[in-house]
Amino acid sequence: MKLGVSPDTFPPRSHEAKRISVVGAAASVFCREGFAGANIDLIAAEAGVSRQTVYNHHGDKEKLFVAVVRDLTERCNAGIFATIATFPDQPGNLEADLIGFAMRMNRNCICNRDGRFLRKLIQTEGERYPELFAEWREQGPGRTWSALAARFARLAYAGHLAIKDPDVAARQFLALINAELQISFMLGGMPDDEEVLQSATNGVRTFLSAFGRQKSASHAARKSALVGA
Amino acid sequence: MKLGVSPDTFPPRSHEAKRISVVGAAASVFCREGFAGANIDLIAAEAGVSRQTVYNHHGDKEKLFVAVVRDLTERCNAGIFATIATFPDQPGNLEADLIGFAMRMNRNCICNRDGRFLRKLIQTEGERYPELFAEWREQGPGRTWSALAARFARLAYAGHLAIKDPDVAARQFLALINAELQISFMLGGMPDDEEVLQSATNGVRTFLSAFGRQKSASHAARKSALVGA
DNA sequence: GACGAATTGGACAAGAGTGTCTAATTTTGT
DNA sequence: ACAAAATTAGACACTCTTGTCCAATTCGTC
């Protein structure tokens, strides 16, 4: 809004910057403590702002919570679609390209701060805010899955995969590349790059064993060695 | 509450029955409201007991919470191992048997009341109680995965599957049979039998496409039709 | 029927948190 | 530099919740 007024460095600091700071701190506190356990004083302190400013900007604990969820939803969806845009439509090495895509998906959408926060908030408070939840549901997983399914369908049409139901394949792809990260998620922790790579690699290999065409050279070799056929 | 006043049927009602009732109600309320939001009065009312009785039995909100988690952990683990004991070691029809097993796993361990409650409590309050969490982690997923991996390894050794790493296969099996239930879990809702069957069927089919040996008659037929090899 | 233990409902103090208000101070725009 | 707007710190009323205490009642057992 008030961008670039001052000479240099940090032009927009006061009004909008504080708002952002508050929403960010609120996300963190709501996640750690839950809605009921979250303390406005703590949020204000963590944002480096007085309590009154929190009320001036958002009016209400509940309104603040809604603002947090909307903010996270928006950024997460943006990240997801930016990542889906990097899907390997014309793969050189299908396995390597899909592993790279899986890594980006995990890193940028599922394991990052926004993704973990949003997931936790939906899990903990989703039942209390059905409208907010419905909104996320439409914009989030629904579109993600169909967008991803479309990409897989294209890949199958081009002869790189043998897929009967692209929607099922898309969901299973996501499930597989996250299969080994479930415990880390339960802990609320952030899996390290090693784990993410391992999970993505194992997931993509199994996915290709199930849906790959024998054509793919390296894959066919690995598969025949594995299955012994 | 005044059940079984008659001569027999329910000898131990008062003391222990109330304890169980309180723990059950507390599980429900802790799940809905979170630890901070849970109200002892509400728990007491939901258990059909006075607030004082809650304090008499468990002494403290925190102690009550620990009791709830221990109770859920115990019952969930028992259910999981009882279900793993039904794993098809000598399958007649591998696909059908695995789908049946997947259904039992989903229904009795993951989608039932205890499973959903425990998962949610760990997600929401796990970070606040690291010891409790570590205990569950050792007893729960760790043992589950290795027990399941052992079963898959045996199946592979008997020639029914082609598995390189049984641990990975076990985790991916669980991920696949739940792939289509993720949204329901996010909602905290209970997926109906139709959804569970669909998810289990799709998951097992993909699992067998990836790890099945061509030998299996019906499977080989389906696979060759699918992959065109 | 009687005794002891458990349960109940209610009152209670203590503490914590929300949301409001105000006066003083700082920041921003002109 | 000046005026308007935003921010701050603190006090405040109000509500809610926890955990304790107690007298009356009920329940299980002998």
Side-chain angles (χ1 to χ4, degrees):
Chain A
M1 302 302 154
K2 313 273 174 96
L3 298 173
V5 176
S6 309
D8 45 24
T9 52
F10 289 160
R13 204 182 70 249
S14 230
H15 204 62
E16 204 59 20
K18 277 183 202 288
R19 180 185 201 87
I20 293 171
S21 176
V22 168
V23 172
S28 171
V29 174
F30 278 134
C31 277
R32 281 207 314 274
E33 317 286 347
F35 180 83
N39 183 324
I40 301 275
D41 286 4
L42 183 59
I43 292 174
E46 204 151 308
V49 171
S50 79
R51 176 175 63 244
Q52 189 58 36
T53 297
V54 176
Y55 284 105
N56 285 343
H57 278 261
H58 298 97
D60 202 339
K61 189 179 183 181
E62 193 154 323
K63 291 198 190 74
L64 175 57
F65 180 79
V66 172
V68 166
V69 174
R70 282 205 209 288
D71 181 65
L72 287 175
T73 302
E74 211 169 303
R75 276 217 304 284
C76 278
N77 283 336
I80 288 173
F81 282 96
T83 303
I84 286 185
T86 72
F87 187 89
D89 287 307
Q90 278 116 24
N93 179 334
L94 185 57
E95 179 175 307
D97 290 351
L98 279 181
I99 290 175
F101 174 71
M103 286 287 289
R104 289 191 293 279
M105 205 68 186
N106 276 342
R107 264 271 153 268
N108 303 334
C109 309
I110 296 168
C111 299
N112 68 346
R113 191 195 112 116
D114 290 342
R116 286 183 302 131
F117 279 8
L118 181 58
R119 209 170 334 121
K120 182 151 186 189
L121 286 185
I122 285 165
Q123 285 166 348
T124 57
E125 314 291 342
E127 298 173 71
R128 198 185 315 278
Y129 299 90
E131 355 57 72
L132 213 57
F133 186 50
E135 187 176 327
W136 164 81
R137 193 187 188 184
E138 285 176 22
Q139 299 297 323
R143 284 180 190 275
T144 302
W145 287 345
S146 54
L148 196 56
R151 296 310 187 106
F152 276 124
R154 202 188 297 186
L155 225 45
Y157 184 75
H160 296 101
L161 293 174
I163 290 174
K164 203 161 50 174
D165 185 334
D167 289 293
V168 171
R171 285 193 288 264
Q172 291 183 338
F173 179 81
L174 292 176
L176 280 172
I177 67 177
N178 284 307
E180 328 230 338
L181 306 176
Q182 296 306 320
I183 342 97
S184 296
F185 289 160
M186 285 277 194
L187 273 131
M190 177 100 87
D192 59 34
D193 279 358
E194 180 62 32
E195 287 179 83
V196 177
L197 176 60
Q198 194 64 38
S199 187
T201 302
N202 289 336
V204 167
R205 289 206 176 131
T206 295
F207 183 82
L208 287 179
S209 292
F211 296 109
R213 306 210 91 180
Q214 257 73 357
K215 292 178 180 177
S216 167
S218 70
H219 174 59
R222 202 179 55 73
K223 181 166 190 173
S224 59
L226 195 68
V227 178
Chain B
M1 288 309 138
K2 305 277 169 86
L3 300 172
V5 178
S6 314
D8 41 31
T9 54
F10 289 160
R13 200 182 73 250
S14 228
H15 205 62
E16 206 57 20
K18 277 183 202 290
R19 180 185 200 86
I20 293 171
S21 177
V22 168
V23 172
S28 171
V29 174
F30 277 135
C31 276
R32 281 206 315 274
E33 317 286 347
F35 180 83
N39 184 323
I40 301 275
D41 286 3
L42 183 57
I43 292 174
E46 204 151 307
V49 171
S50 79
R51 176 175 64 243
Q52 188 59 35
T53 298
V54 176
Y55 283 105
N56 285 343
H57 277 259
H58 298 97
D60 201 340
K61 188 179 183 181
E62 194 154 322
K63 290 197 190 75
L64 175 58
F65 181 78
V66 172
V68 166
V69 174
R70 282 203 209 288
D71 182 65
L72 286 175
T73 302
E74 212 169 303
R75 276 216 305 284
C76 279
N77 283 336
I80 287 174
F81 283 96
T83 302
I84 286 186
T86 71
F87 187 89
D89 286 308
Q90 278 116 24
N93 180 334
L94 185 57
E95 180 174 305
D97 290 351
L98 279 181
I99 290 175
F101 174 72
M103 286 287 289
R104 289 192 293 278
M105 205 70 187
N106 276 342
R107 264 271 154 270
N108 303 333
C109 309
I110 296 169
C111 298
N112 67 345
R113 190 194 113 116
D114 290 343
R116 285 184 302 129
F117 278 9
L118 182 57
R119 209 171 333 123
K120 182 150 186 190
L121 286 185
I122 285 166
Q123 285 167 348
T124 56
E125 314 293 342
E127 299 174 71
R128 198 184 315 279
Y129 299 89
E131 354 58 72
L132 213 57
F133 186 49
E135 188 176 327
W136 164 82
R137 195 187 186 184
E138 285 176 23
Q139 300 296 324
R143 285 180 190 275
T144 302
W145 286 345
S146 52
L148 196 57
R151 298 308 188 108
F152 276 125
R154 202 189 296 186
L155 225 45
Y157 183 74
H160 296 99
L161 292 174
I163 290 174
K164 203 162 50 174
D165 184 335
D167 289 293
V168 171
R171 286 192 287 264
Q172 291 183 337
F173 179 82
L174 292 175
L176 281 171
I177 67 177
N178 284 308
E180 328 230 337
L181 306 176
Q182 295 305 320
I183 341 97
S184 297
F185 289 160
M186 285 276 193
L187 273 130
M190 178 100 88
D192 60 34
D193 278 358
E194 180 62 32
E195 287 179 83
V196 177
L197 177 60
Q198 194 65 39
S199 187
T201 302
N202 289 336
V204 167
R205 289 207 175 131
T206 296
F207 184 82
L208 287 179
S209 292
F211 296 109
R213 305 210 91 178
Q214 259 72 356
K215 293 178 181 177
S216 166
S218 70
H219 175 59
R222 202 179 54 74
K223 181 166 189 175
S224 61
L226 195 68
V227 178

